[in-house]
Amino acid sequence: LQVNEEISVKHLPATEPDPHVVRVGWSLDSCSTQLGEEPFSYGYGGTGKKSTNCKFENYGETFAENDVIACLVDFECGDEVEMSFMKNGKWLGVAYRVRKDVLAGRALFPHVLVKNCAIEFNFGQREDTYFSVPPGFTFIQHLPVAERVRGTTGPKSKAECEILMMVGLPAAGKTTWAVKHAAANPSKKYNILGTNAIMDKMRVMGLRRQRNYAGRWDVLIQQATQCLNRLIQIAARKKRNYILDQV
């Protein structure tokens, strides 16, 4: 089975330095949204880097606005699964090889991580592809339903949503408990809301951003707090499960 999808990139207005980020690839359903920053999460970014488990390496070429990236997965490589990418019809080589016994029958899902970008997907619904597809590869949408694996579905109504609120003194272990509880209940797809969770996602090339804010901790915590306030507003409108880890 050889699977393909295409992604077209468009930048949105932004005011900060290096504002546009696109990382595409594949991950397990149990992985977080931070593509390429944990095991079984395989990404290729516009900076010309590939990453998995927070290990960034040079790969392919840089890509930006109006470029089209094809994400290819080849399951017909014997005991391995091969993941590769194409930029505007040019094959960039094999990015990852993963043993099938390590995947243990778990499905890989298309995954994209974006910042200040609009993207357009082609899973096979377009009459014409952006660029020609290599022989043997099939768009996901063209696979029989019986050969697809459904991802975890979220709550169907707000009444089914679950919200946990952490209470306790600083350094009492609230964040540690929240992270472990979310990991132990992957089907819940908990979204942890808190400044700690936000700062953990504020990484540059897999490194925590705190290293770049030496002596300016107040700036970092202010940005994280502003993000948290906005996320709470968004969360109130979404049908998801949350852990509020903020006192």
Side-chain angles (χ1 to χ4, degrees):
L1 179 63
Q2 297 173 308
V3 181
N4 177 48
E5 63 168 322
E6 292 180 313
I7 299 172
S8 176
V9 181
K10 180 181 179 181
H11 290 172
L12 299 179
T15 58
E16 61 181 290
D18 302 320
H20 302 109
V21 175
V22 177
R23 196 181 298 163
V24 297
W26 308 87
S27 69
L28 299 183
D29 186 46
S30 57
C31 290
S32 74
T33 55
Q34 296 299 110
L35 177 61
E37 297 186 10
E38 61 187 291
F40 303 108
S41 184
Y42 308 95
Y44 162 45
T47 57
K49 300 282 185 180
K50 65 175 183 177
S51 62
T52 182
N53 200 20
C54 270
K55 296 177 182 177
F56 287 75
E57 300 177 290
N58 291 329
Y59 170 79
E61 304 173 357
T62 61
F63 64 86
E65 193 168 21
N66 298 320
D67 285 328
V68 175
I69 305 300
C71 306
L72 312 174
V73 178
D74 190 343
F75 292 91
E76 299 176 349
C77 300
D79 295 332
E80 294 182 322
V81 174
E82 286 186 354
M83 285 169 264
S84 60
F85 300 88
M86 299 177 67
K87 174 187 173 183
N88 299 330
K90 175 185 176 182
W91 190 62
L92 302 177
V94 175
Y96 303 103
R97 290 185 175 91
V98 185
R99 290 187 58 85
K100 292 180 180 178
D101 57 354
V102 175
L103 289 175
R106 293 172 293 180
L108 290 168
F109 288 82
H111 192 153
V112 60
L113 174 69
V114 296
K115 174 182 174 184
N116 294 324
C117 290
I119 53 176
E120 181 179 346
F121 293 93
N122 177 26
F123 293 114
Q125 76 278 8
R126 288 171 55 98
E127 292 185 6
D128 298 321
T129 62
Y130 291 106
F131 292 91
S132 60
V133 178
F137 283 89
T138 304
F139 279 97
I140 292 177
Q141 189 164 313
H142 296 164
L143 291 176
V145 175
E147 295 185 21
R148 306 180 206 173
V149 176
R150 186 182 182 89
T152 302
T153 57
K156 295 181 180 179
S157 66
K158 285 193 175 182
E160 297 180 8
C161 294
E162 183 176 325
I163 300 177
L164 304 179
M165 184 171 67
M166 306 306 300
V167 178
L169 295 172
K174 300 183 299 300
T175 298
T176 300
W177 186 93
V179 171
K180 288 184 176 180
H181 185 72
N185 297 273
S187 63
K188 294 281 190 178
K189 290 281 186 180
Y190 284 113
N191 289 259
I192 300 177
L193 302 179
T195 51
N196 283 334
I198 290 173
M199 286 189 289
D200 187 58
K201 290 179 173 58
M202 295 169 67
R203 295 176 181 267
V204 179
M205 295 296 291
L207 300 177
R208 291 172 67 90
R209 193 176 288 256
Q210 282 92 318
R211 297 188 181 185
N212 300 329
Y213 278 76
R216 295 186 295 155
W217 178 256
D218 57 327
V219 175
L220 182 61
I221 195 68
Q222 182 181 10
Q223 290 182 342
T225 301
Q226 291 174 347
C227 289
L228 177 61
N229 292 336
R230 179 61 179 147
L231 284 178
I232 290 176
Q233 293 176 358
I234 296 173
R237 303 195 300 267
K238 302 295 182 180
K239 290 179 288 188
R240 297 186 181 182
N241 297 317
Y242 295 100
I243 299 178
L244 183 58
D245 180 29
Q246 192 71 18
V247 296

